[in-house]
Amino acid sequence: MDFSQLNKKSAKSFNDQKALIKKLSQGRVVNCPSCQQPIVLSLSQSTSNRAVAQCQQGCTFIELDLA
Ligand SMILES: [Zn+2]
């Protein structure tokens, strides 16, 4: 297995997730690629600077630490 490729891929998907969260936080509408429902962003700043982006069906679920 080529670990350098694997790391690149996960880094890219992490950046994709950050870009998605950024779009949502700017009030832009992003649809889930699977169910085509809008992805909703929720922020929980009480526990930590954590952002959760998920669609209604739950096929997209992204949890990111913003700190
Ligand atoms: Zn979905």
Side-chain angles (χ1 to χ4, degrees), residues 31-39 54-61:
N31 288 335
C32 170
S34 300
C35 67
Q36 304 300 321
Q37 298 294 309
I39 297 171
Q54 64 182 127
C55 70
Q56 226 170 17
Q57 307 276 340
C59 34
T60 293
F61 186 90

Side-chain angles (χ1 to χ4, degrees), residues 42-45 47-52 63-67:
S42 55
L43 295 169
S44 68
Q45 289 172 332
T47 48
S48 61
N49 279 339
R50 180 157 289 200
V52 174
E63 201 175 30
L64 271 189
D65 275 322
L66 302 177

